[in-house]
Amino acid sequence: MKILNFGSLNLDHVYQMPHFVSAKETITALDYHTQVGGKGLNQSIALANAGLHVYHAGKIGKDGHQLKMFLQDHGVNTSFVFESEKASGHAIIQVVNGQNCIIVYGGANRDIEEKMIDQVFDSFDEGDLLLLQNEINLLDILLKRAHQKKMRIILNPSPIDETLLSAPIELCDRLILNEVEGMALASCESKNYEDIIHALANQFPHVEIVLTCGEKGAWAYQEGNYFYQEAYPVTVVDTTCAGDTFTGFYISACIQGHAIQRALQIACKAASFSVQKNGAADSIPLWDAVMRK
């Protein structure tokens, strides 16, 4: 089975802030640094750090060479990373007391073309795994083409927008999402985590659902069965890559044959490692480090 992550590649601009900026307000940042990121890149690194061989497909601008090199340095296959005439995607991240607020500009990530999708998918077959997020364009086409090829599809439906809400999400085999995304997809007004995952299960009864709940842990649903895992209490420094770390380690644990409850435990533990460090992809732990604890 081959693993393909068709996703975003971003240059992140990270600002440590005294508080999140409000309308009409100008404030001075406490610190600033740049880093590689994008949910696609982060999740490819998480998969690789969790012991899997992963192919990354996406686009970068002429300014994005370091993104491709970063993937390669972490063992990710970049044969399907192409160059766009547009600037590389980037994010502006505000961090306040370990919590973050993110603005994403698509750039080259929104320059995916159907002919590129066909070129990439020619190298993959029935039973191969496709991981998607919503930071690139043509999500609906990717879902339909992968379904036609009988690939296994995992979607992290983030960020939520009209394009995502109109996509054929029912074609997915697994959804990995947080409570805000879950409320939007299931049209659930309750903020109670159990209500959210039950609403998602009712809407997508044939899809495995994994709901991440931050410091409240994580839920999973599969074929009428529900599972819950508490979070690991740690001192939080930066939550930027916690969800992406969880996603990569959960997928790896499942592929390696672990049952859902154990996969949730491993993924929550990996996420707890991530939030104790600043940064995005650089905060993702290695599989052996997580399993030793």
Side-chain angles (χ1 to χ4, degrees), residues 129-132 152-157 169-178 182 185 196-212 218-228 246-265 267:
L129 188 150
L130 173 66
L131 174 61
L132 295 168
R152 297 167 57 194
I153 306 170
I154 301 175
L155 173 64
N156 172 213
I169 294 173
E170 67 279 359
L171 300 181
C172 297
D173 296 281
R174 180 184 295 150
L175 294 175
I176 303 178
L177 69 173
N178 65 26
L185 282 190
I196 296 168
I197 195 165
H198 279 90
L200 287 164
N202 288 334
Q203 185 159 340
F204 305 106
H206 304 297
V207 178
E208 179 186 334
I209 297 162
V210 182
L211 183 70
T212 61
W219 287 85
Y221 163 84
Q222 184 187 53
E223 297 179 346
N225 297 307
Y226 293 87
F227 307 85
Y228 174 70
F246 180 100
T247 295
F249 275 73
Y250 184 84
I251 292 170
S252 180
C254 291
I255 288 175
Q256 294 183 49
H258 293 285
I260 288 178
Q261 189 66 57
R262 177 60 173 154
L264 285 174
Q265 183 185 51

Side-chain angles (χ1 to χ4, degrees), residues 126-179:
E126 178 179 345
D128 288 340
L129 188 150
L130 173 66
L131 174 61
L132 295 168
Q133 311 81 29
N134 192 37
E135 290 184 345
I136 60 175
N137 62 314
L138 300 186
L139 178 66
D140 58 336
I141 301 298
L142 283 159
L143 288 168
K144 291 173 184 176
R145 297 285 171 81
H147 182 69
Q148 289 168 359
K149 288 188 73 82
K150 298 182 179 180
M151 297 177 71
R152 297 167 57 194
I153 306 170
I154 301 175
L155 173 64
N156 172 213
S158 177
I160 295 287
D161 58 20
E162 290 302 318
T163 299
L164 180 112
L165 293 175
S166 63
I169 294 173
E170 67 279 359
L171 300 181
C172 297
D173 296 281
R174 180 184 295 150
L175 294 175
I176 303 178
L177 69 173
N178 65 26
E179 72 273 18

Side-chain angles (χ1 to χ4, degrees), residues 7-13 35-39 41 58-64 66-67 84-92 103-111 135-136:
S8 58
L9 299 155
N10 283 351
L11 294 168
D12 291 346
H13 302 271
Q35 62 191 23
V36 298
K39 294 190 73 63
L41 180 144
K59 275 193 173 182
I60 55 175
K62 298 182 187 300
D63 58 341
Q66 71 184 96
L67 296 168
S84 168
E85 291 300 316
K86 296 184 177 181
S88 296
H90 66 261
I92 297 172
I103 300 172
V104 177
Y105 169 70
N109 295 318
R110 296 289 178 176
D111 194 31
E135 290 184 345
I136 60 175

Side-chain angles (χ1 to χ4, degrees), residues 4 6 117-124 130 142 145-146 149:
L4 171 63
F6 213 125
I117 295 174
D118 292 337
Q119 180 180 349
V120 173
F121 278 15
D122 280 344
S123 297
F124 295 86
L130 173 66
L142 283 159
R145 297 285 171 81
K149 288 188 73 82

Side-chain angles (χ1 to χ4, degrees), residues 14-22 25 27-31 93-102 236-240 278:
V14 184
Y15 301 84
Q16 295 287 336
M17 306 293 289
H19 61 265
F20 294 125
V21 179
S22 301
E25 181 183 26
I27 58 176
T28 301
L30 303 175
D31 196 11
I93 304 174
Q94 298 179 57
V95 180
V96 178
N97 296 326
Q99 300 299 313
N100 61 68
C101 180
I102 304 174
V236 175
V237 175
D238 184 355
T239 62
T240 300
N278 277 313

